Each structure stands twice: as C-alpha cells, then as structure tokens.
Amino acid sequence: EVQLVESGGGLVQPGGSLRLSCAASGFTFSSYSMDWVRQAPGKGLEWVSFISGGSDYIYYADSVKGRVTVSRDNAEKSLYLQMNSLRVEDTAVYYCARDRTDSSGYPYIDYWGQGTLVTVSS
Amino acid sequence: QSALTQPASVSGSPGQSITISCSGTGSDVGSYSVVSWYQQHPAKAPQLMIYEDSKRPSGVSNRFSGSKSGNTASLTISGLQAEDEADYYCCSCARSGSKVFGPGTKVTVL
C-alpha cells in the first residue's frame, strides 16, 4: 500500500524558515517523481514543486521560486521542502504527492499524503 | 502555465448527470499537456478520479468520465449520488512535470 506521511509543519513567524518532510513507503521511491502541493485555508490546490526520481529535474511555481528548495533522499525514501523567507500567504496545508507517468509520457499525481499545516503568523 | 477556469459550483439531483468544465489555453489544456481530475471531500486529501484526459484509475466508479476537446476538458458524473458531493479540481500537467490546478468546483447534490 502506498503511504505518504508529511511532517514538519507548525507555526512560524514571517521571515522564518521551516523544513517539511515526507516519508514514503509501499513503492520503489527512487522510481517516481514527486510533488509538493499546497492548499491555503478555504482555498483551492496550488502546485508548489516537482522533483524527478533522480533529482535531475526540479521545477517550482513562480510564487515560491527563490524561497523554497525541494530535495529527496532515495536511500531514506524521503522527500523534503526547505522553505525560507516565509510569508503570511504561505500559510497552507502542504501535501506530498507521487507522480506517475501516463502512456503519453505526461506525469500526473496518483497518490497524496494527508498533509501538514504550515501557519505563518506573528 | 496559464490559469485554468472552472465553474465555482455545479448542482444536481440524485440520479442526474452533471458536467464540470475546465478551460485553458493552447499551452495548458491544449495540445501540450494532459488533464487529470481530483475529488476532495472536506478535510480530506484529494483523490485521483481521471488521468490522461479520460482514463479512469482502478477503483474509481465508472460513473465518472472525462473528455477533452480543444482547450476545454470536462468531467461528467452520471447517476449522481450523495457521496459525490465534494470539490473537484482539474489539473493540467506539462510533460516537464510542472502543473497548474483549476480553481475548483463545488458539487452539491440537491
């Protein structure tokens, strides 16, 4: 069974930093690309970042580019999101998600974790 | 990628069919990406309902179907049931791995 368990969320002041983690199990972690997706309270889903299985390809949404860094440790089956210079508008539930590639070579998210809440407030 | 457009809400009576649209441009919903659809119940993680525009993962009811024409993708729920009441998001996925989500549609079963 595929499981994705996020941790590391919490309350942080504006300008602060936080590192989110996602522990994966139930599949060959290194064979899959992964995403971070966030959802502000009462709002829709927002894609944050993508990292390929071997960390060769990394992409970020414009809203977080330059402030966040995604990384992974395939030996530990873990995904990370280092967030710096946090803003009030970064307050959201952050989901770790697994990508699968379809027959046309396009990735799509097939599994999601339960999310971890990040609150940026003074 | 450009922003996607979805109706804020769609409603229907039990047993009816409803369709949720997801409109974009040629650079997202068009020829250079594929669309997936996600269902999200309150306080729950999203769940994949449709991928590659029209394919249904195993375990998802065949009452859910997807299609795409030009720059508009659609999710149809037939035989609407109370458990279908949820938020639905389309997602345009580029071959590179970057993605953009639609704003979401709240489905209400009357």
Side-chain angles (χ1 to χ4, degrees), chain A residues 35 37 39 43-45 47 50 59 95 99 102-110 112-114, chain B residues 31-34 36 38 40 44-46 48 51-52 55 89 93-99 101:
Chain A
D35 297 90
V37 178
Q39 186 169 35
K43 302 297 184 182
L45 301 172
W47 173 77
F50 166 95
Y59 301 101
Y95 293 102
D99 265 14
D102 66 24
S103 59
S104 304
Y106 288 88
Y108 62 94
I109 293 173
D110 66 344
W112 302 69
Q114 288 303 305
Chain B
S31 303
Y32 300 101
S33 68
V34 292
S36 51
Y38 300 89
Q40 187 180 34
K44 297 291 187 181
L48 176 67
Y51 68 97
E52 203 174 345
K55 296 183 178 179
Y89 296 89
C93 310
R95 190 183 293 273
S96 65
S98 65
K99 301 171 178 66
F101 286 93

Coordinates of all heavy atoms in Angstrom, one line a residue, chain A residues 35 37 39 43-45 47 50 59 95 99 102-110 112-114, chain B residues 31-34 36 38 40 44-46 48 51-52 55 89 93-99 101:
Chain A
D35 N 5.9 15.5 -6.0 CA 5.4 16.9 -6.0 C 5.1 17.4 -4.6 O 4.8 16.6 -3.7 CB 4.2 17.1 -6.8 CG 4.3 16.8 -8.3 OD1 4.1 15.7 -8.7 OD2 4.6 17.7 -9.0
V37 N 2.3 20.1 -3.1 CA 1.1 20.8 -3.5 C 0.5 21.4 -2.2 O 0.5 20.7 -1.2 CB 0.0 20.0 -4.2 CG1 -1.3 20.8 -4.5 CG2 0.5 19.3 -5.4
Q39 N -2.5 24.0 -0.1 CA -3.9 24.5 -0.1 C -4.1 25.4 1.1 O -4.1 25.0 2.3 CB -4.8 23.3 0.0 CG -6.3 23.6 -0.1 CD -7.2 22.4 -0.3 OE1 -6.9 21.4 0.3 NE2 -8.2 22.5 -1.1
K43 N -9.2 27.6 0.5 CA -8.9 27.9 -0.9 C -8.6 26.6 -1.7 O -8.7 25.5 -1.2 CB -7.6 28.8 -1.0 CG -7.8 30.1 -0.2 CD -8.9 30.9 -0.8 CE -9.0 32.3 -0.1 NZ -10.1 33.1 -0.6
G44 N -8.2 26.8 -3.0 CA -8.0 25.6 -3.9 C -6.6 25.1 -3.8 O -5.8 25.6 -3.0
L45 N -6.3 24.1 -4.6 CA -5.0 23.5 -4.6 C -4.0 24.3 -5.4 O -4.4 24.9 -6.5 CB -5.1 22.1 -5.3 CG -6.0 21.1 -4.6 CD1 -6.2 19.8 -5.4 CD2 -5.5 20.7 -3.2
W47 N -0.1 23.9 -7.0 CA 1.1 23.2 -7.2 C 2.3 24.0 -6.8 O 2.4 25.2 -7.1 CB 1.3 22.8 -8.6 CG 2.6 22.1 -9.0 CD1 3.0 20.8 -8.7 CD2 3.7 22.7 -9.6 NE1 4.2 20.6 -9.1 CE2 4.7 21.8 -9.7 CE3 3.9 24.0 -10.1 CZ2 5.9 22.0 -10.3 CZ3 5.1 24.3 -10.7 CH2 6.2 23.3 -10.8
F50 N 8.2 20.2 -8.2 CA 8.3 18.9 -8.8 C 9.8 18.5 -8.7 O 10.7 19.3 -8.9 CB 7.8 18.9 -10.2 CG 8.2 17.7 -11.1 CD1 7.4 16.7 -11.2 CD2 9.5 17.7 -11.7 CE1 7.7 15.6 -12.0 CE2 9.9 16.6 -12.5 CZ 9.0 15.6 -12.6
Y59 N 11.4 21.7 -10.6 CA 10.7 22.9 -11.0 C 9.9 23.4 -9.8 O 9.5 22.7 -8.9 CB 9.7 22.5 -12.2 CG 10.4 21.9 -13.4 CD1 10.4 20.6 -13.6 CD2 11.0 22.8 -14.3 CE1 11.0 20.0 -14.7 CE2 11.7 22.2 -15.4 CZ 11.6 20.8 -15.6 OH 12.3 20.3 -16.7
Y95 N 0.8 19.3 0.9 CA 0.7 17.8 0.6 C 1.9 17.4 -0.2 O 2.4 18.0 -1.1 CB -0.5 17.6 -0.3 CG -1.9 17.8 0.4 CD1 -2.6 19.0 0.1 CD2 -2.4 16.9 1.2 CE1 -3.8 19.2 0.7 CE2 -3.7 17.1 1.8 CZ -4.4 18.3 1.5 OH -5.6 18.5 2.1
D99 N 4.0 11.2 -8.3 CA 3.7 11.3 -9.8 C 3.8 9.9 -10.4 O 4.6 9.1 -10.1 CB 4.7 12.2 -10.5 CG 4.3 13.6 -10.6 OD1 3.3 14.0 -9.9 OD2 4.9 14.4 -11.3
D102 N 1.9 8.8 -17.6 CA 0.9 8.1 -18.4 C 1.5 7.6 -19.7 O 2.7 7.7 -20.0 CB -0.3 9.0 -18.7 CG 0.1 10.2 -19.5 OD1 1.1 10.2 -20.3 OD2 -0.7 11.2 -19.4
S103 N 0.7 7.0 -20.6 CA 1.2 6.3 -21.8 C 1.8 7.4 -22.8 O 2.5 7.0 -23.7 CB 0.0 5.6 -22.4 OG -1.0 6.4 -22.7
S104 N 1.4 8.6 -22.6 CA 1.9 9.7 -23.5 C 3.2 10.3 -22.9 O 3.8 11.2 -23.6 CB 0.9 10.7 -23.7 OG -0.3 10.2 -24.2
G105 N 3.6 9.9 -21.8 CA 4.8 10.4 -21.2 C 4.6 11.6 -20.3 O 5.5 12.3 -19.8
Y106 N 3.3 11.9 -20.0 CA 3.0 13.1 -19.1 C 2.8 12.6 -17.7 O 2.2 11.6 -17.4 CB 1.7 13.7 -19.6 CG 1.8 14.5 -20.9 CD1 1.7 13.9 -22.1 CD2 2.1 15.9 -20.8 CE1 1.8 14.6 -23.3 CE2 2.3 16.6 -22.0 CZ 2.1 16.0 -23.2 OH 2.2 16.7 -24.4
P107 N 3.3 13.3 -16.7 CA 3.2 12.9 -15.3 C 1.8 13.4 -14.8 O 1.4 14.5 -15.2 CB 4.3 13.6 -14.6 CG 4.6 14.9 -15.4 CD 4.2 14.5 -16.9
Y108 N 1.3 12.7 -13.9 CA 0.1 13.1 -13.1 C 0.2 12.6 -11.7 O 0.9 11.6 -11.5 CB -1.2 12.6 -13.8 CG -1.3 11.1 -13.9 CD1 -2.0 10.4 -12.9 CD2 -0.7 10.4 -14.9 CE1 -2.1 9.0 -12.9 CE2 -0.8 9.0 -14.9 CZ -1.5 8.3 -14.0 OH -1.6 7.0 -14.0
I109 N -0.4 13.2 -10.8 CA -0.4 12.8 -9.4 C -1.4 11.7 -9.2 O -2.6 11.8 -9.5 CB -0.7 14.0 -8.5 CG1 0.4 15.1 -8.5 CG2 -0.9 13.5 -7.0 CD1 0.1 16.4 -7.8
D110 N -0.9 10.6 -8.6 CA -1.8 9.5 -8.4 C -2.0 9.2 -6.9 O -3.0 8.6 -6.5 CB -1.4 8.2 -9.1 CG -0.1 7.6 -8.6 OD1 0.7 8.3 -7.9 OD2 0.2 6.4 -9.0
W112 N -1.7 11.0 -2.8 CA -1.4 12.1 -1.9 C -1.2 11.7 -0.5 O -1.8 10.8 0.0 CB -2.6 13.1 -2.0 CG -3.0 13.6 -3.3 CD1 -3.6 12.8 -4.4 CD2 -3.0 14.9 -3.8 NE1 -3.8 13.7 -5.4 CE2 -3.5 14.9 -5.1 CE3 -2.5 16.1 -3.2 CZ2 -3.5 16.1 -5.9 CZ3 -2.6 17.3 -4.0 CH2 -3.1 17.3 -5.3
G113 N -0.4 12.5 0.2 CA -0.4 12.3 1.7 C -1.5 13.0 2.3 O -2.4 13.6 1.6
Q114 N -1.6 13.0 3.6 CA -2.7 13.7 4.4 C -2.4 15.1 4.6 O -3.3 15.9 5.1 CB -3.0 12.9 5.7 CG -3.6 11.6 5.5 CD -4.9 11.7 4.7 OE1 -5.8 12.5 5.0 NE2 -5.0 11.0 3.6
Chain B
S31 N -2.8 21.2 -26.6 CA -2.1 20.0 -27.1 C -0.8 19.7 -26.4 O -0.3 18.6 -26.6 CB -1.7 20.3 -28.6 OG -2.8 20.6 -29.4
Y32 N -0.4 20.6 -25.5 CA 0.9 20.4 -24.9 C 0.8 19.9 -23.4 O 1.8 20.1 -22.7 CB 1.8 21.6 -25.0 CG 2.0 22.0 -26.4 CD1 1.3 23.0 -27.0 CD2 2.9 21.3 -27.2 CE1 1.5 23.3 -28.3 CE2 3.1 21.7 -28.5 CZ 2.4 22.7 -29.1 OH 2.6 23.0 -30.4
S33 N -0.3 19.4 -23.0 CA -0.4 18.9 -21.7 C -1.6 17.9 -21.6 O -2.4 17.8 -22.6 CB -0.7 20.1 -20.7 OG -2.0 20.6 -20.9
V34 N -1.7 17.2 -20.5 CA -2.9 16.4 -20.3 C -3.6 16.8 -19.0 O -3.0 17.5 -18.2 CB -2.5 14.9 -20.2 CG1 -2.0 14.4 -21.5 CG2 -1.5 14.7 -19.1
S36 N -5.9 15.9 -15.6 CA -6.3 15.0 -14.6 C -7.3 15.7 -13.7 O -7.4 16.9 -13.7 CB -5.1 14.4 -13.8 OG -4.3 15.4 -13.2
Y38 N -9.4 15.6 -9.8 CA -9.3 15.2 -8.4 C -10.6 15.5 -7.7 O -11.1 16.6 -7.8 CB -8.1 15.8 -7.7 CG -6.8 15.4 -8.4 CD1 -6.3 16.2 -9.5 CD2 -6.1 14.3 -8.1 CE1 -5.2 15.8 -10.2 CE2 -5.0 13.9 -8.8 CZ -4.5 14.6 -9.8 OH -3.4 14.3 -10.5
Q40 N -12.1 16.1 -3.8 CA -11.7 16.3 -2.4 C -12.9 16.6 -1.5 O -13.6 17.5 -1.7 CB -10.7 17.5 -2.4 CG -10.2 17.8 -1.0 CD -9.2 18.9 -0.9 OE1 -9.4 20.0 -1.6 NE2 -8.2 18.8 -0.1
K44 N -10.2 16.3 3.8 CA -9.5 15.1 3.3 C -8.5 15.5 2.2 O -8.6 16.5 1.6 CB -10.6 14.1 2.7 CG -11.5 13.6 3.8 CD -10.9 12.7 4.8 CE -11.9 12.1 5.7 NZ -11.3 11.2 6.7
A45 N -7.6 14.5 2.0 CA -6.7 14.7 0.8 C -7.4 14.5 -0.5 O -8.4 13.7 -0.5 CB -5.5 13.7 1.0
P46 N -6.9 15.1 -1.5 CA -7.5 14.9 -2.8 C -7.4 13.4 -3.3 O -6.5 12.7 -2.8 CB -6.8 15.8 -3.8 CG -6.2 16.9 -2.9 CD -5.9 16.2 -1.6
L48 N -7.4 11.0 -6.9 CA -7.4 11.0 -8.4 C -8.7 10.3 -8.9 O -9.0 9.2 -8.5 CB -6.2 10.2 -8.9 CG -6.1 10.0 -10.4 CD1 -5.9 11.3 -11.1 CD2 -4.9 9.0 -10.7
Y51 N -7.3 10.5 -15.3 CA -5.9 10.9 -15.7 C -5.9 10.8 -17.2 O -6.7 10.2 -17.8 CB -4.8 10.1 -15.0 CG -4.8 8.7 -15.4 CD1 -3.9 8.2 -16.4 CD2 -5.6 7.7 -14.8 CE1 -3.9 6.9 -16.8 CE2 -5.6 6.4 -15.2 CZ -4.7 6.0 -16.1 OH -4.7 4.7 -16.5
E52 N -4.8 11.5 -17.8 CA -4.6 11.4 -19.2 C -5.9 11.8 -20.0 O -6.3 11.1 -20.9 CB -4.1 10.1 -19.7 CG -3.4 10.1 -21.0 CD -2.7 8.8 -21.3 OE1 -2.6 7.9 -20.4 OE2 -2.3 8.6 -22.5
K55 N -8.9 8.7 -18.8 CA -8.7 7.4 -18.3 C -9.1 7.4 -16.8 O -8.8 8.3 -16.0 CB -7.3 6.9 -18.5 CG -6.9 6.8 -19.9 CD -5.5 6.2 -20.1 CE -5.3 6.1 -21.6 NZ -3.9 5.6 -21.9
Y89 N -11.2 19.3 -8.8 CA -10.2 20.1 -9.3 C -9.6 19.5 -10.6 O -9.3 18.3 -10.6 CB -9.0 20.3 -8.4 CG -9.3 21.1 -7.1 CD1 -9.8 20.4 -6.0 CD2 -9.2 22.5 -7.0 CE1 -10.1 21.1 -4.8 CE2 -9.5 23.1 -5.9 CZ -10.0 22.4 -4.8 OH -10.3 23.1 -3.6
C93 N -1.1 19.1 -16.7 CA 0.2 18.6 -16.4 C 1.1 18.7 -17.6 O 0.8 18.0 -18.6 CB 0.2 17.1 -15.9 SG -1.0 16.8 -14.6
A94 N 2.1 19.4 -17.6 CA 3.1 19.5 -18.7 C 4.0 18.3 -18.7 O 4.3 17.7 -17.6 CB 3.8 20.8 -18.6
R95 N 4.6 18.0 -19.8 CA 5.5 16.9 -19.9 C 6.7 17.1 -19.0 O 7.3 16.1 -18.5 CB 5.9 16.7 -21.4 CG 6.7 15.4 -21.6 CD 7.2 15.3 -23.1 NE 6.1 15.2 -24.0 CZ 5.5 14.0 -24.3 NH1 6.0 12.9 -23.8 NH2 4.6 14.0 -25.2
S96 N 7.1 18.3 -18.8 CA 8.2 18.6 -17.9 C 8.0 18.2 -16.5 O 8.9 17.9 -15.7 CB 8.5 20.1 -17.9 OG 7.4 20.8 -17.3
G97 N 6.7 18.2 -16.0 CA 6.4 17.9 -14.7 C 5.7 19.0 -13.9 O 5.1 18.8 -12.9
S98 N 5.8 20.2 -14.5 CA 5.1 21.3 -13.8 C 3.6 21.2 -14.0 O 3.2 20.5 -15.0 CB 5.6 22.7 -14.4 OG 5.3 22.8 -15.8
K99 N 2.9 21.7 -13.1 CA 1.4 21.5 -13.1 C 0.7 22.8 -12.8 O 1.3 23.7 -12.1 CB 1.0 20.4 -12.1 CG 1.7 19.1 -12.4 CD 1.5 18.1 -11.3 CE 2.1 16.7 -11.6 NZ 3.6 16.8 -11.7
F101 N -3.3 23.8 -11.3 CA -4.6 23.4 -10.9 C -5.7 24.4 -11.3 O -5.4 25.6 -11.2 CB -4.7 23.1 -9.4 CG -4.0 21.9 -9.0 CD1 -2.7 21.9 -8.6 CD2 -4.7 20.6 -9.0 CE1 -2.0 20.8 -8.2 CE2 -4.0 19.5 -8.6 CZ -2.7 19.5 -8.2

